[in-house]
């Protein structure tokens, strides 16, 4: 098995696992901010216990600062994602993430100083009508949730490209990257939590009952494992390919949310047409990429 194929298998496995995050976000009774705070706290604490200290201290300040900044974006992204779940529903939250590939087609070339691949941008744009169908017949409350999810998708495109830039140079071990970025997510949510409590004193921070179980599943199974595997996979594939593959998350998420919460009753037929458009874009990408790269090679002058 080639490294690239293994990377794609890792990613598809991660996307399937991430499909459960929206369901868990709905099952957990906490609001978005306390939920994300507990998620990154459990992840950071786990990594702090298992990581050798010398690997962390070997980072150096410049690399630590870069990873910490990326982690802040990750933390805000999760706040947007779970905020969208609470404002709208799990299906809308995961569907909004499909716009990540559109943003990635622009942010990756800009941040990595590469030429924009117009076919990737076209694929990203192709997904947008699907998103319009997804939100076409929902009320304005859900539209706000979708907009919050879109912001989270943009941040995902940015931090994925920044991670790819680090991975393509001389990266630290993936577990160390995970620890610093998740710790930064803990820092940003810890700073936001007192302000949220000041505005809403009734906000519940302490999990209750089965919340503890779902939080552990969310942290260990749906965060640490896919975070590590995704960083490993990005050694062999681009940020755009990563985000395009992650577009399958809405498919898994919608199906799981429909199965668990019967949210399919809230969704119009147009929603499912939009999901089909997403699938066409995801599975059409390898074919389109092959065609364009073949044409570019044919048009190149002989050496």
């Amino acid at each position: 098995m080639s490294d690239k194929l293994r990377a794609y298998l890792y990613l598809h496995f991660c996307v399937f696992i991430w499909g459960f995050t929206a369901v868990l976000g709905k099952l957990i009774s906490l609001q978005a901010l306390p939920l994300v705070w507990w998620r990154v706290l459990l992840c950071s604490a786990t990594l702090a216990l298992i990581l050798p200290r010398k690997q962390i201290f070997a980072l150096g300040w410049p690399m630590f600062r870069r990873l910490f900044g990326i982690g802040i974006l990750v933390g805000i992204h999760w706040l947007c994602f779970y905020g969208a779940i609470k404002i709208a529903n799990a299906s809308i939250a995961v569907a909004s993430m499909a716009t990540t590939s559109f943003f990635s087609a622009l942010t990756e070339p800009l941040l990595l100083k590469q030429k924009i691949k117009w076919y990737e941008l076209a694929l990203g744009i192709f997904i947008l009508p699907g998103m319009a169908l997804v939100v076409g017949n929902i009320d304005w409350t859900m539209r706000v949730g979708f907009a919050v999810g879109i912001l989270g998708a943009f941040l995902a495109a940015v931090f994925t490209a920044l991670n790819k830039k680090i991975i393509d140079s001389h990266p630290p071990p993936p577990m160390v990257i995970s620890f610093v970025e998740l710790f930064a997510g803990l820092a940003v949510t810890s700073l936001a939590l007192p302000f949220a409590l000041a505005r809403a004193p009734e906000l519940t921070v302490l999990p209750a009952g089965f919340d503890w179980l779902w939080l552990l599943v969310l942290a260990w199974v749906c965060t640490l494992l896919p975070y590590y595997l995704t960083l490993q996979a990005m050694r062999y594939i681009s940020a755009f390919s990563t985000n395009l593959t992650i577009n399958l998350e809405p498919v898994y998420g919608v199906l799981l949310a429909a199965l668990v919460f019967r949210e399919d009753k809230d969704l119009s037929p147009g929603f499912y047409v939009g999901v089909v458009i997403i699938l066409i874009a995801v599975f059409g990408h390898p074919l389109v990429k092959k065609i364009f790269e073949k044409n570019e090679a044919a048009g190149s002058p002989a050496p």
Side-chain angles (χ1 to χ4, degrees), residues 28 30-31 48 60 97-98 169 178 180 199 201 230 262 267:
I28 297 169
L30 300 175
Q31 292 299 310
M97 291 304 297
S169 54
S178 301
V180 177
R199 293 190 61 182
T230 301
R262 301 304 304 168
L267 303 172

Side-chain angles (χ1 to χ4, degrees), residues 141-210:
T141 301
M142 287 192 177
R143 291 179 189 271
V144 172
F146 185 77
V148 172
I150 292 293
L151 175 59
F154 172 74
L155 293 174
V158 172
F159 72 68
T160 303
L162 291 173
N163 270 333
K164 177 63 176 174
K165 188 174 182 179
I166 290 175
I167 290 170
D168 284 348
S169 54
H170 299 286
M175 293 292 281
V176 176
I177 296 176
S178 301
F179 171 72
V180 177
E181 293 185 359
L182 291 170
F183 180 73
L186 175 62
V188 71
T189 51
S190 296
L191 288 173
L193 197 56
F195 293 97
L197 288 171
R199 293 190 61 182
E202 72 281 2
L203 184 67
T204 302
V205 177
L206 188 65
F210 279 101

Side-chain angles (χ1 to χ4, degrees), residues 220-280:
W220 292 343
V221 179
C222 298
T223 306
L224 286 181
L225 177 60
Y227 209 102
Y228 171 80
L229 291 177
T230 301
L231 290 172
Q232 288 278 51
M234 287 178 65
R235 295 167 59 191
Y236 306 103
I237 58 179
S238 69
F240 178 83
S241 297
T242 301
N243 285 322
L244 192 66
T245 304
I246 291 173
N247 279 321
L248 287 173
E249 182 179 342
V251 179
Y252 294 129
V254 167
L255 292 176
L256 290 168
L259 180 65
V260 177
F261 304 117
R262 301 304 304 168
E263 289 184 353
D264 53 312
K265 297 177 181 179
D266 300 332
L267 303 172
S268 71
F271 184 95
Y272 298 99
V273 176
V275 171
V276 170
I277 292 175
I278 294 169
L279 287 172
I280 291 172

Side-chain angles (χ1 to χ4, degrees), residues 12 18 34 161 214 251 254 284 286 298 300:
H12 281 281
W18 281 326
W214 303 134
V251 179
V254 167
S300 300

Side-chain angles (χ1 to χ4, degrees), residues 6-295:
R6 185 180 292 106
Y8 274 111
L9 290 176
Y10 281 171
L11 267 184
H12 281 281
F13 175 70
C14 293
V15 170
F16 178 73
I17 292 176
W18 281 326
F20 286 91
T21 58
V23 173
L24 292 170
K26 199 77 171 181
L27 288 173
I28 297 169
S29 63
L30 300 175
Q31 292 299 310
L33 180 56
L35 189 154
V36 176
W37 186 79
W38 278 105
R39 181 183 189 178
V40 291
L41 174 63
L42 291 171
C43 290
S44 300
T46 301
L47 289 174
L49 290 173
I50 65 176
L51 271 177
R53 294 293 184 271
K54 61 180 181 180
Q55 289 188 5
I56 300 174
F57 294 133
L59 270 179
W61 173 245
M63 179 58 71
F64 180 88
R65 185 175 57 204
R66 290 173 65 187
L67 294 175
F68 196 87
I70 295 172
I72 290 174
L73 298 181
V74 174
I76 299 173
H77 156 76
W78 279 336
L79 288 176
C80 291
F81 179 69
Y82 288 105
I85 293 173
K86 301 300 182 180
I87 295 170
N89 61 36
S91 301
I92 295 302
V94 293
S96 64
M97 291 304 297
T99 58
T100 304
S101 57
F102 168 73
F103 295 122
S104 185
L106 296 172
T107 56
E108 184 179 11
L110 290 174
L111 293 173
L112 273 62
K113 297 180 180 179
Q114 299 173 347
K115 182 181 178 181
I116 292 178
K117 297 177 181 177
W118 296 107
Y119 67 87
E120 291 186 345
L121 184 60
L123 281 174
I125 294 173
F126 177 73
I127 286 178
L128 298 184
M131 292 300 98
L133 289 171
V134 166
V135 299
N137 295 311
I138 57 178
D139 60 38
W140 282 105
T141 301
M142 287 192 177
R143 291 179 189 271
V144 172
F146 185 77
V148 172
I150 292 293
L151 175 59
F154 172 74
L155 293 174
V158 172
F159 72 68
T160 303
L162 291 173
N163 270 333
K164 177 63 176 174
K165 188 174 182 179
I166 290 175
I167 290 170
D168 284 348
S169 54
H170 299 286
M175 293 292 281
V176 176
I177 296 176
S178 301
F179 171 72
V180 177
E181 293 185 359
L182 291 170
F183 180 73
L186 175 62
V188 71
T189 51
S190 296
L191 288 173
L193 197 56
F195 293 97
L197 288 171
R199 293 190 61 182
E202 72 281 2
L203 184 67
T204 302
V205 177
L206 188 65
F210 279 101
D211 284 348
W212 288 107
L213 172 62
W214 303 134
L215 281 169
L216 289 173
V217 173
L218 179 64
W220 292 343
V221 179
C222 298
T223 306
L224 286 181
L225 177 60
Y227 209 102
Y228 171 80
L229 291 177
T230 301
L231 290 172
Q232 288 278 51
M234 287 178 65
R235 295 167 59 191
Y236 306 103
I237 58 179
S238 69
F240 178 83
S241 297
T242 301
N243 285 322
L244 192 66
T245 304
I246 291 173
N247 279 321
L248 287 173
E249 182 179 342
V251 179
Y252 294 129
V254 167
L255 292 176
L256 290 168
L259 180 65
V260 177
F261 304 117
R262 301 304 304 168
E263 289 184 353
D264 53 312
K265 297 177 181 179
D266 300 332
L267 303 172
S268 71
F271 184 95
Y272 298 99
V273 176
V275 171
V276 170
I277 292 175
I278 294 169
L279 287 172
I280 291 172
V282 172
F283 289 106
H285 174 244
L287 176 62
V288 172
K289 181 178 180 180
K290 184 176 181 180
I291 292 173
F292 273 81
E293 288 182 347
K294 184 177 180 180
N295 291 338

